[in-house]
């Protein structure tokens, strides 16, 4: 029984009356949303707004990922096309399927897709970088990102990395010394996660960067992972 007050006097509402009121409310309750009065329109609008916000969040997150990827991969031109889906030589990707476990040396003529294959493979790990030797040199000279030279050596000696187009740039004594220290550290620590691309074979590369560097590269990769790519220059068509 429910106690109510009317004109200052206490009365009691019967259980039967309460039941009838409850049933009346139930008869007018919307069978879809369960509210009286119906709130279907309000709920639908709220759900539509939430879906819109989710889509916006997903779009912003995708933009952040692309920006981060572009930064990590060195702002490579045509980066969006450097994917496994758009790479036609699936045998090369299959040969590199073990990455980031292991190291790989890809060589062959210019324009045959070495960088594409390497970047497509590199996408498998969340924190990978693309550098050329000259860029590594600039980072040391300008002390970018990591001001301590020892910390920079440690970074380049351990990160997941593509060292792109090795041998295409003039190798000074400073660059050769720097490259040897990085590669030697990776070799001594058995550090996986390095991909190197070059237009020349491993023997010819030795004449450019030094036999000690090449010896460490072979030690890191093993002969199985010295991969020769063939074909014609795609840029020329």
């Amino acid at each position: 029984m429910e106690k109510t007050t009317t004109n200052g006097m206490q009365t009691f509402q019967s259980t039967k009356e309460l039941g009838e009121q409850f049933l009346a409310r139930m008869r007018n309750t919307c069978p879809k949303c369960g509210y009286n009065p119906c709130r279907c329109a309000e709920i639908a609008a709220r759900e539509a707004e939430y879906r819109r916000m989710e889509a916006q969040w997903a779009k912003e997150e995708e933009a952040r990922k692309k920006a981060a990827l572009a930064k990590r991969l060195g702002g490579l031109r045509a980066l969006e096309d450097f994917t496994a889906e758009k790479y036609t030589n699936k045998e090369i990707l299959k040969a590199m399927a073990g990455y980031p476990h292991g190291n790989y040396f890809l060589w062959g003529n210019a324009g045959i897709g070495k960088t594409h294959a390497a970047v497509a493979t590199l996408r498998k790990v969340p924190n990978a970088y693309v550098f050329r030797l000259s860029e590594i040199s600039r980072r040391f000279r300008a002390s970018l990102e990591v001001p301590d030279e020892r910390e920079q050596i440690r970074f380049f000696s351990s990160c997941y990395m593509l060292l792109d187009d090795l041998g295409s740039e003039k190798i000074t004594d400073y660059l050769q010394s720097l490259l040897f220290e990085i590669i030697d550290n990776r070799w001594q620590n058995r550090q996986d996660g390095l991909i190197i691309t070059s237009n020349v074979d491993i023997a010819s590369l030795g004449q450019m960067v030094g036999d000690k560097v090449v010896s460490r590269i072979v030690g890191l990769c093993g002969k199985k992972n010295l991969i020769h790519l063939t074909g014609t220059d795609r840029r020329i068509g």
Side-chain angles (χ1 to χ4, degrees):
M1 301 261 286
E2 181 182 346
K3 182 185 292 185
T4 62
T5 303
T6 305
N7 296 326
M9 298 182 62
Q10 290 187 339
T11 61
F12 291 91
Q13 196 171 21
S14 69
T15 302
K16 180 180 179 181
E17 289 174 333
L18 289 173
E20 289 175 349
Q21 290 179 7
F22 174 76
L23 291 174
R25 284 197 299 269
M26 289 298 294
R27 282 193 294 269
N28 294 323
T29 295
C30 175
K32 185 176 181 180
C33 68
Y35 286 97
N36 179 16
C38 175
R39 295 170 60 182
C40 285
E42 177 188 343
I43 293 172
R46 190 162 58 238
E47 289 177 347
E49 176 63 13
Y50 184 73
R51 287 193 297 270
R52 186 195 67 77
M53 292 174 63
E54 274 193 323
Q56 181 65 25
W57 293 334
K59 185 177 179 180
E60 291 172 356
E61 180 63 20
E62 183 65 20
R64 281 194 293 269
K65 287 181 179 179
K66 286 183 178 181
L69 183 65
K71 182 179 180 181
R72 288 192 290 105
L73 300 185
L76 289 171
R77 185 172 57 188
L79 178 64
E80 293 301 318
D81 291 331
F82 289 178
T83 64
E85 292 75 18
K86 294 184 179 181
Y87 190 68
T88 56
N89 194 340
K90 303 302 182 184
E91 288 301 314
I92 297 299
L93 297 182
K94 184 177 179 180
M96 301 173 68
Y99 189 87
H101 306 293
N103 303 285
Y104 297 85
F105 177 81
L106 309 182
W107 67 278
N109 295 333
I112 59 175
K114 300 184 299 294
T115 299
H116 188 151
V119 171
T121 300
L122 221 63
R123 286 176 181 272
K124 293 162 50 175
V125 296
N127 297 305
Y129 297 82
V130 173
F131 295 111
R132 288 193 174 187
L133 189 56
S134 57
E135 184 181 359
I136 293 176
S137 173
R138 284 195 298 272
R139 286 173 178 255
F140 272 86
R141 292 181 185 276
S143 296
L144 295 175
E145 293 187 2
V146 186
D148 190 317
E149 184 171 312
R150 289 172 299 179
E151 286 299 317
Q152 291 198 68
I153 287 288
R154 195 160 23 243
F155 169 75
F156 288 110
S157 299
S158 60
C159 69
Y160 296 128
M161 177 174 71
L162 163 60
L163 183 54
D164 196 38
D165 228 3
L166 185 60
S168 65
E169 302 164 307
K170 182 179 179 181
I171 305 294
T172 64
D173 290 343
Y174 172 75
L175 279 178
Q176 186 172 342
S177 174
L178 184 61
L179 178 62
F180 175 76
E181 187 167 5
I182 292 171
I183 298 298
D184 185 58
N185 282 348
R186 298 187 77 110
W187 175 70
Q188 290 191 45
N189 295 322
R190 294 184 174 87
Q191 179 65 52
D192 290 337
L194 175 66
I195 303 175
I196 300 174
T197 65
S198 179
N199 290 349
V200 299
D201 63 23
I202 199 74
S204 301
L205 185 64
Q207 300 173 16
M208 301 175 180
V209 301
D211 291 336
K212 291 195 299 182
V213 173
V214 164
S215 174
R216 302 307 195 273
I217 290 174
V218 175
L220 272 172
C221 298
K223 292 184 178 180
K224 180 182 177 182
N225 291 344
L226 305 179
I227 302 174
H228 182 202
L229 279 71
T230 59
T232 56
D233 192 331
R234 300 178 183 182
R235 302 185 187 98
I236 297 176

